[in-house]
Amino acid sequence: MKPTFSVASSSRRGFALGGIAFALMLSAGTLAPLAQAADPLAVGILIPGSKSDKGWMESGYDGLVAAQKAHGDKIKVQMIENINYADMEQALTNLASKNKLVIGVGGQTQAAVMKVAKRFPNTRFSIVGGNKAEDMPNVAGYDVKQAEIAFVAGAAAAMLSKNGAVSYVGGMEIPSIVNAGKEFGNGAKYVNPKIKYFENYTGDFDNVAKAKEATLAAIAQGADVHYHILNLGLRGMEQAAKEKGTKVVGSYTDRCGTDALYPAYSITGVGYQVQYAIDEAVKGSWKAGYKPFGLAMGPKASDMVVCGASPEVTKKLEEIKKDILGGKIKVLEG
């Protein structure tokens, strides 16, 4: 069954609930204690950025679509996308008042989720990209462990670099994003101790101009392979890389063969976690609390793909992943 879209995206200049229908009607399962067996499970999902950003938000949206295909008319979903950070609490309040499961896509939703969840004790909340926080009986935090796969991405970038210089651009300077940046640099140095590494933050996941400026600055210093944790800001990195003939290691989803600009992709399972939250609610096995994903949860949750990789590159990356899982290589949280 194909999802029918009836969505009015909010403006980033402000979020007004009154009279505006933010609805994406899909279908999927029943959270046993909270819905009658014959009723669809009401799911609300907040995607703060654009669902077509080629990054985190699009990956989350893909997971939502996958859940719809899996569960059909057993769920009904209301989606709010593309809002200001300051408006998240209001958006989540709107979702919590109408749904039994609410999903916040991105660690930037965590603070608002924790506030709103206290006012809606009978609503379940799942945070995709959540970190360890206050234990609440109705909140689940799913940690993608970006720092883990960022280390592997750094190793891949170092092997792909011809200049011996790589760069990273993050959005908001919050712990999980900063830790991922540090581990990307550590991964690059792990395979090439002499590599040059440039790290920058724009303060905004969606600012195209700042992301381009940061990437151009790194290119001017020799960086020829770039990594990111950005949403729409990725377009700025792409513009800089295309103009200067450098490459980008993509994030979140394997899209090998679709764009020559990208020689590799890290997989962080954002969509996998969205689908996981819905699947668990449908089965009646949803649980509150912190849950780490990352490499330990398998390739759908976390992986590194170098397009057309040589056996030597593949072997090296597999060794690094194994050493992270075994504790030989220790990485930061986040």
Side-chain angles (χ1 to χ4, degrees), residues 183-200:
E183 292 302 349
F184 177 77
N186 289 339
K189 293 171 185 175
Y190 185 81
V191 298
N192 180 3
K194 295 182 179 180
I195 201 161
K196 295 178 181 178
Y197 171 56
F198 307 101
E199 182 179 333
N200 209 329

Side-chain angles (χ1 to χ4, degrees), residues 29-36 39-42 100-101 122-124 280-286:
T30 303
L31 185 57
L34 300 180
Q36 298 299 320
D39 293 336
L41 175 67
K100 297 299 184 181
L101 172 68
N122 293 320
T123 300
R124 269 73 161 169
E280 291 298 296
V282 168
K283 292 186 293 184
S285 53
W286 182 97

Side-chain angles (χ1 to χ4, degrees), residues 10-33:
S10 61
S11 167
R12 284 193 171 270
R13 293 188 295 271
F15 175 67
L17 289 175
I20 301 179
F22 295 97
L24 170 62
M25 303 309 293
L26 306 174
S27 323
T30 303
L31 185 57

